Amino acid sequence: MTTLGVLMMAYGTPRNLDEVEAYYTDIRRGRRPTPEQLADLVRRYQAIGGVSPLYEITVRQAQAVERVLNGQGGRFRVYLGMKHTAPRIAEAVAAMHRDGIDRAIAIVLAPHYSALSVETYHEQARPAAEKLGLELACVNQWHLEPRFLDALAARVEEALARCEDPRRAMVIFTAHSLPARILEMGDPYVDQLHESGEAVAKRLGLSHYTFGWQSAGRTAEPWLGPDLLEMLPTVAQDGYREVVVCSQGFVADHLEVLYDVDIEAKQHAERLGLRLVRTRQMNDDPDFIQAVADVIERARREQGW
Ligand SMILES: CC1=C(CCC(=O)O)c2cc3nc(cc4[nH]c(cc5[nH]c(cc1n2)c(C)c5CCC(=O)O)c(CCC(=O)O)c4C)C(CCC(=O)O)=C3C
Ligand SMILES: [Fe+2]
């Protein structure tokens, strides 16, 4: 049995505050941020303790997925490639090739597809693989993977259990906002976020839930709305006292969760007399890791590998 590669791709995070400028420049496709923009981002990293736990969590996720896949009788080797930091996606592909791997499944640690998110990872992976003659099967989305939905539902249930009156709490499913032009592009991102949220709501029989966007970029073009922060006053006006935020578009604790939700949104909520409870992130919890392994196994079967 030959070893099958798994190219596991994730966003990447600066390892320390000195790396923030280079990171931000990379996210902005080579345009350096203004001193004000940089200072604001540094301030947000400082507010969550100086560094984001994202890199360590991503490494643990990759190792755990490899363990589960191989424990099920497979022969996989997982390689981690980051979009904005080292080890880069192309480096991970090159490492696979050096190790003699000629087939790999490429998966992004983000469940919902958009041409402006998941596709940008594949756009780095595909040419790197082609150049080396490595066959790549790219997974576009996995937001409806049954055990992923189970994991998401379990976290919403657990967050509701932390509410004083779970039946009267509003659940808001969020994801990273994207430029609103994806709507004219026929992009499936918005529909997919509704699909996974609806599936969870159905599993739990939720009657009070809605959808919102978070962490929109600081650019001039319009972004998908409504923004979570703008929704909170309406939720308060409608008489809710507790709100559960499920950042379903993210699978780890990182800046967008630890700052944008835990600090910024929580402060907004408190000023409105709302208690905000956030669902726990997936990180390397076994139920989530099994779900990712299921996605990879499914892709392997579909390829006939
Ligand atoms: C769709 C999407 C995901 C989810 C899917 C996926 O995971 O891929 C995601 C995740 C993440 N985004 C992250 C960080 C940042 N994203 C930024 C900016 C942007 N994100 C965008 C999109 C996404 N981003 C876009 C279109 C921009 C604007 C770029 C521009 O200007 O054209 C900025 C710049 C400053 C700011 O705007 O806040 C930062 C610092 C971190 C790591 C946090 C940590 O370090 O813990 C993570 C996991
Ligand atoms: Fe981002």
Side-chain angles (χ1 to χ4, degrees):
M1 194 162 55
T2 55
T3 302
L4 197 60
V6 174
L7 176 62
M8 187 165 283
M9 296 180 282
Y11 206 80
T13 186
R15 309 284 192 91
N16 55 58
L17 292 177
D18 293 335
E19 284 183 16
V20 173
E21 183 167 13
Y23 176 69
Y24 204 170
T25 304
D26 195 86
I27 290 175
R28 292 165 50 85
R29 280 161 275 127
R31 290 173 298 128
R32 283 176 65 187
T34 66
E36 293 73 32
Q37 287 171 322
L38 177 61
D40 187 61
L41 184 54
V42 167
R43 176 187 63 78
R44 284 181 276 146
Y45 277 110
Q46 277 168 334
I48 64 162
V51 285
S52 164
L54 181 59
Y55 179 70
E56 274 72 26
I57 293 169
T58 308
V59 169
R60 291 208 307 272
Q61 287 173 324
Q63 290 169 342
V65 167
E66 186 179 83
R67 257 197 315 275
V68 168
L69 284 170
N70 291 333
Q72 291 173 175
R75 250 188 87 184
F76 290 90
R77 185 147 171 210
V78 178
Y79 294 78
L80 201 51
M82 310 289 181
K83 189 157 81 162
H84 296 297
T85 57
R88 295 281 173 160
I89 292 168
E91 288 173 47
V93 173
M96 276 197 229
H97 179 68
R98 272 199 306 278
D99 292 345
I101 286 172
D102 53 14
R103 282 173 165 175
I105 289 154
I107 179 171
V108 181
L109 287 173
H112 309 84
Y113 178 87
S114 168
L116 300 187
S117 69
V118 165
E119 192 58 31
T120 64
Y121 293 80
H122 292 327
E123 280 166 2
Q124 292 189 24
R126 275 199 205 94
E130 255 164 49
K131 206 176 71 189
L132 300 168
L134 200 142
E135 205 181 339
L136 210 59
C138 296
V139 176
N140 280 337
Q141 65 269 309
W142 42 274
H143 64 299
L144 297 180
E145 183 63 42
R147 284 201 270 212
F148 171 66
L149 294 175
D150 290 344
L152 210 48
R155 279 155 186 76
V156 173
E157 197 170 29
E158 187 273 338
L160 282 167
R162 278 185 275 140
C163 292
E164 271 157 35
D165 192 353
R167 278 164 314 168
R168 293 182 37 81
M170 173 60 95
V171 177
I172 307 182
F173 292 99
T174 67
H176 202 297
S177 184
L178 282 175
R181 64 188 150 88
I182 66 163
L183 299 175
E184 285 96 68
M185 293 161 54
D187 196 272
Y189 189 65
V190 176
D191 286 345
Q192 291 190 358
L193 283 147
H194 285 125
E195 285 164 9
S196 50
E198 291 290 350
V200 168
K202 197 169 162 202
R203 266 175 168 70
L204 298 177
L206 298 182
S207 37
H208 309 283
Y209 66 96
T210 183
F211 295 88
W213 304 97
Q214 61 167 93
S215 317
R218 291 148 172 82
T219 64
E221 69 180 328
W223 287 66
L224 294 177
D227 189 273
L228 172 62
L229 300 181
E230 291 163 13
M231 292 170 77
L232 294 173
T234 318
V235 171
Q237 272 156 28
D238 289 345
Y240 292 94
R241 311 303 298 270
E242 292 178 297
V243 55
V244 167
V245 174
C246 175
S247 289
Q248 61 158 338
F250 301 122
V251 299
D253 283 316
H254 52 57
L255 191 69
E256 269 72 355
V257 173
L258 301 176
Y259 185 84
D260 297 354
V261 178
D262 286 1
I263 296 179
E264 196 178 35
K266 207 168 262 182
Q267 264 172 17
H268 276 247
E270 269 162 23
R271 275 189 229 117
L272 297 160
L274 268 175
R275 184 163 162 259
L276 188 154
V277 177
R278 179 186 43 91
T279 58
R280 297 215 165 95
Q281 287 302 107
M282 301 290 169
N283 298 328
D284 60 343
D285 292 355
D287 56 346
F288 172 67
I289 296 302
Q290 182 63 59
V292 176
D294 288 352
V295 176
I296 293 163
E297 265 298 341
R298 184 186 305 281
R300 185 191 62 75
R301 280 197 309 274
E302 276 170 12
Q303 292 296 318
W305 287 352

